[in-house]
């Protein structure tokens, strides 16, 4: 036998109207109900924490209505990777071009992007993690500092002709980090501190340096007389990262 | 040909010059103090107009950093030889002046082996950090935190060296030499320290011999350059006081090199 409980009627407020945006923002009626922005293309982007309403009544979030409300423009949105600016084919081509240390294809690296370097640095951190060292933050900080250092040195040496900007510097530095990432992968299988480790480090660091210098000199018009000076700066940076791998 | 750097669009200014257009006037190169000092070496000082005097007060603190990076391979090689083996330098130690825009200024480092540059100190500092990291790893005490500690320690020692040089200039002369010149002279010590650490990596007992030798070389180098700087600034050459201070500076290099060679791991 069921006792009859006196349940008050639950009222669902009809707050799913995207047209009444400002009014919705000022008089929110339910918790967890984001104020509807005037722009229907960004359904979930604005969450105004400051205007959190007092919990007067509980209602289900009305996202369904939102989806229905802007459903017409959902199929028009570009694919996610394209919207984020990640061109995977270009990244792959750039990566392949780094693998050849004797000929640098500078045209591919004309437009800089940071997603390739990001993947390489995460992979570097993962290989270090496999070796038992947690270096994610260290890698991030050192890459930032090294790119700033290279940016200052390159532009000071190049004088009036230097047109390297920090974004492109960071992109080039990150792409040319690929040999060091490969070295960190190989170093998992060789004994630590042996002669093999040092010689491999030398080979991979020289590879990185050569590719980085070639790309820098071709992309940002520097002039060949500073090639050795730029190469030494790059060499210092990649040796620093190889120290993380060896020791 | 090296000319006035009035229109620099692509070069980043590391926010060293506080005034909006520092290169529109006739002052460039190594700063106005040495411009006047260069004349002072040959005759009496020429005092400019009041606006030039005001502008010289601002450009006294940070002269144009672009001047210090006009280097090439050959300059770097020869300068390293001069810094590490100063007693073998056969030429003179004075900087070459040239008249540009009606004022005398010093020639950039490409044309003058005695001009200070900032490329070598910067690279030597980076090499110092990397080499000390390598040494730490060989001793089994490497960690990224220790390396950043070493970096800060090196930077602090560089700052101390620049402070000593600047104080000496203030007490003995007019202290008008550009700050970046002192930063450059102070940074040349790192080349000697790199040689020390390299020697220590290869064979640990060579460290003591190398350290005394490089410290003394750096002492000789600093004495010879600071003597020229002081002579260019002060007309009345109070010789005994100057010489004692220079001797003290040379001897102070030994504790500096001991400090810098101390691996903080």
């Amino acid at each position: 036998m069921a006792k009859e409980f006196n349940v008050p009627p639950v009222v669902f407020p009809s707050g799913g109207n995207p047209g009444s945006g400002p009014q919705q923002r000022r008089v929110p009626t339910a918790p967890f109900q984001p104020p509807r922005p005037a722009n229907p293309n960004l359904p979930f982007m604005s969450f105004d924490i400051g205007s959190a309403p007092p919990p007067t009544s509980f209602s289900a979030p009305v996202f369904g209505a939102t989806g229905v409300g802007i459903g017409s423009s959902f199929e028009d949105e570009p694919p996610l990777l394209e919207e984020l600016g990640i061109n995977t084919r270009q990244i792959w081509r750039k990566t392949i071009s780094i693998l050849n240390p004797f000929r640098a294809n500078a045209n591919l690296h004309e437009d800089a992007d940071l997603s390739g370097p990001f993947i390489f640095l995460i992979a570097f951190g993962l290989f270090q993690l496999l070796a038992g060292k947690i270096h994610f933050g260290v890698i991030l900080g050192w890459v930032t500092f090294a790119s700033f250092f290279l940016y200052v040195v390159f532009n000071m040496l190049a004088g009036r002709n230097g047109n390297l900007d920090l974004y492109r510097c960071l992109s080039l530095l990150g792409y040319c980090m690929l040999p060091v990432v490969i070295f960190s992968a190989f170093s998992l299988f060789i004994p630590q501190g042996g002669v093999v480790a040092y010689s491999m480090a030398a080979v991979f660091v020289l590879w990185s340096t050569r590719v980085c210098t070639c790309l820098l000199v071709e992309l940002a018009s520097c002039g060949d007389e500073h090639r050795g000076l730029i190469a030494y700066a790059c060499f210092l940076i990649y040796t620093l990262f190889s120290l993380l791998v060896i020791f | 040909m090296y000319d006035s750097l009035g229109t620099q669009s692509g070069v980043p200014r590391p926010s060293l010059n506080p005034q909006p257009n520092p290169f529109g006037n006739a002052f460039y190169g190594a700063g106005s103090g040495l411009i006047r000092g260069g004349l002072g070496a040959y005759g009496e000082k020429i005092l400019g107009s009041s606006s030039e005097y005001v502008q010289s007060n601002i450009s006294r603190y940070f002269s144009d950093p672009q001047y210090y990076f006009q280097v090439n391979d050959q300059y770097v090689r020869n300068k390293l030889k001069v810094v590490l083996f100063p007693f073998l330098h056969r030429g003179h130690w004075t900087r070459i002046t040239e008249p540009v825009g009606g004022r005398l200024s010093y020639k950039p480092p490409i044309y003058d082996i005695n001009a200070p540059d900032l490329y070598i100190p910067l690279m030597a500092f980076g090499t110092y950090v990397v080499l000390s990291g390598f040494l730490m790893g060989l001793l089994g005490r490497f960690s990224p935190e220790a390396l950043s500690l070493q970096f800060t320690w090196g930077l602090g020692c560089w700052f101390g060296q620049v402070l000593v040089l600047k104080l000496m200039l203030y007490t003995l002369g007019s202290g008008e030499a550009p700050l970046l010149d002192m930063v450059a002279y102070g940074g040349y010590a790192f080349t000697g320290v790199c040689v020390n650490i390299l020697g220590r990596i290869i064979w640990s007992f060579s460290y003591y011999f190398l350290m005394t030798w490089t410290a003394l070389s750096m002492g000789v180098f600093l004495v010879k350059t600071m003597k020229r700087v002081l002579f260019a600034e002060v007309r009345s050459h109070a010789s005994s006081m100057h010489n004692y201070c220079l001797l003290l500076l040379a001897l102070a290099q030994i504790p500096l090199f001991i400090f810098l060679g101390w691996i903080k791991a």
Side-chain angles (χ1 to χ4, degrees):
Chain A
M1 159 191 161
K3 197 168 178 190
E4 290 288 331
F5 289 103
N6 198 11
V7 179
V10 182
V11 173
F12 290 94
S14 62
N17 195 356
S20 64
Q23 280 173 341
Q24 201 70 13
R25 206 182 295 263
R26 272 187 229 118
V27 188
T29 53
F32 307 122
Q33 187 175 9
R36 227 62 66 206
N39 181 10
N41 283 329
L42 302 172
F44 309 123
M45 295 296 282
S46 65
F47 186 84
D48 206 354
I49 302 197
S51 71
T56 51
S57 71
F58 180 76
S59 72
V62 286
F63 292 147
T66 313
V68 167
I70 56 149
S72 57
S73 63
F74 190 68
E75 285 87 18
D76 294 344
E77 282 180 10
L80 179 66
L81 282 185
E82 191 178 315
E83 196 170 331
L84 288 175
I86 299 176
N87 187 354
T88 41
R89 194 152 301 160
Q90 182 80 346
I91 295 177
W92 180 247
R93 266 188 253 132
K94 283 188 191 180
T95 311
I96 296 293
S97 81
I98 300 283
L99 288 178
N100 180 6
F102 298 110
R103 195 167 15 116
N105 190 357
N107 306 328
L108 281 179
H109 289 267
E110 275 288 337
D111 45 342
D113 78 300
L114 280 184
S115 8
F118 181 72
I119 298 175
F120 290 158
L121 294 177
I122 295 290
F124 189 22
L126 279 175
F127 288 130
Q128 290 292 89
L129 193 64
L130 283 174
K133 316 173 217 175
I134 307 182
H135 281 160
F136 287 102
V138 169
I139 293 171
L140 172 71
W142 284 13
V143 160
T144 314
F145 187 73
S147 76
F148 189 71
F149 171 74
L150 191 60
Y151 169 70
V152 165
V153 168
F154 187 87
N155 277 320
M156 281 296 178
L157 279 179
R160 221 165 308 163
N161 312 326
N163 61 346
L164 186 75
D165 54 338
L166 194 57
Y167 188 67
R168 185 183 283 187
C169 183
L170 187 52
S171 164
L172 282 176
L173 201 72
Y175 269 110
C176 300
M177 192 74 77
L178 178 67
V180 180
V181 177
I182 298 178
F183 173 52
S184 74
F186 282 170
S187 78
L188 292 171
F189 303 107
I190 57 178
Q192 197 195 21
V195 181
V196 184
Y198 294 131
S199 47
M200 273 179 72
V203 166
F204 282 105
V205 163
L206 286 174
W207 178 4
S208 275
T209 311
R210 180 173 164 91
V211 179
C212 195
T213 321
C214 288
L215 285 177
L216 271 178
V217 169
E218 282 184 30
L219 275 180
S221 52
C222 168
D224 256 346
E225 69 265 13
H226 293 137
R227 202 185 187 100
L229 306 179
I230 300 290
Y232 188 66
C234 295
F235 175 73
L236 277 184
I237 293 176
Y238 290 116
T239 316
L240 194 66
F241 283 101
S242 72
L243 282 183
L244 277 182
V245 180
I246 305 178
F247 298 115
Chain B
M1 188 58 197
Y2 180 64
D3 58 351
S4 174
L5 306 163
T7 55
Q8 294 242 20
S9 50
V11 179
R13 286 271 157 261
S15 66
L16 289 182
N17 262 319
Q19 61 190 63
N21 187 14
F23 311 117
N25 52 6
F27 295 131
Y28 73 102
S32 68
L34 276 179
I35 297 173
R36 279 197 238 128
L39 281 179
Y42 297 107
E44 65 275 345
K45 281 193 188 178
I46 298 176
L47 213 59
S49 67
S50 59
S51 69
E52 284 177 341
Y53 178 70
V54 165
Q55 268 178 335
S56 81
N57 273 332
I58 296 178
S59 68
R60 179 196 301 192
Y61 293 116
F62 285 118
S63 55
D64 161 38
Q66 182 69 48
Y67 166 85
Y68 298 94
F69 279 93
Q70 292 181 310
V71 292
N72 59 357
D73 268 343
Q74 190 195 15
Y75 170 82
V76 169
R77 266 201 300 267
N78 291 336
K79 188 73 177 189
L80 279 177
K81 276 192 265 183
V82 168
V83 169
L84 290 174
F85 310 99
F87 31 84
L88 293 179
H89 186 213
R90 289 285 162 241
H92 60 89
W93 287 81
T94 48
R95 289 169 75 176
I96 308 173
T97 58
E98 59 173 357
V100 174
R103 310 282 296 191
L104 273 187
S105 76
Y106 288 108
K107 277 196 170 173
I110 299 189
Y111 304 113
D112 182 12
I113 190 63
N114 295 316
D117 74 311
L118 274 179
Y119 175 80
I120 294 181
L122 212 59
M123 289 301 137
F125 183 68
T127 314
Y128 164 70
V129 172
V130 169
L131 277 180
S132 57
F134 202 70
L135 184 61
M136 278 187 224
L138 285 179
L139 295 174
R141 299 186 279 176
F142 179 82
S143 78
E145 290 80 21
L147 198 60
S148 20
L149 206 62
Q150 190 78 31
F151 171 84
T152 319
W153 177 245
L155 214 56
C157 283
W158 194 353
F159 180 72
Q161 167 96 324
V162 170
L163 208 62
V164 164
L165 284 171
K166 201 72 179 159
L167 277 177
M168 199 184 82
L169 274 190
Y170 269 125
T171 52
L172 292 182
S174 55
E176 271 188 11
L179 182 66
L180 285 183
D181 271 16
M182 297 305 125
V183 170
Y185 291 138
Y188 282 128
F190 284 103
T191 51
V193 177
C194 288
V195 171
N196 290 348
I197 300 187
L198 198 61
R200 191 169 166 187
I201 288 175
I202 297 178
W203 181 41
S204 63
F205 288 112
S206 67
Y207 175 65
Y208 302 104
F209 159 71
L210 274 178
M211 202 217 31
T212 41
W213 176 52
T214 47
L216 287 175
S217 304
M218 179 55 55
V220 170
F221 173 78
L222 274 182
V223 160
K224 292 210 153 120
T225 35
M226 294 312 285
K227 194 160 162 182
R228 293 304 182 290
V229 173
L230 279 174
F231 186 65
E233 298 220 339
V234 181
R235 258 179 298 149
S236 63
H237 187 65
S239 58
S240 65
M241 172 79 154
H242 281 192
N243 288 346
Y244 281 137
C245 279
L246 288 173
L247 189 62
L248 208 62
L249 181 68
L251 288 178
Q253 296 306 301
I254 300 184
L256 174 79
F257 273 53
I258 295 179
F259 281 156
L260 278 173
W262 184 16
I263 302 296
K264 302 216 149 254

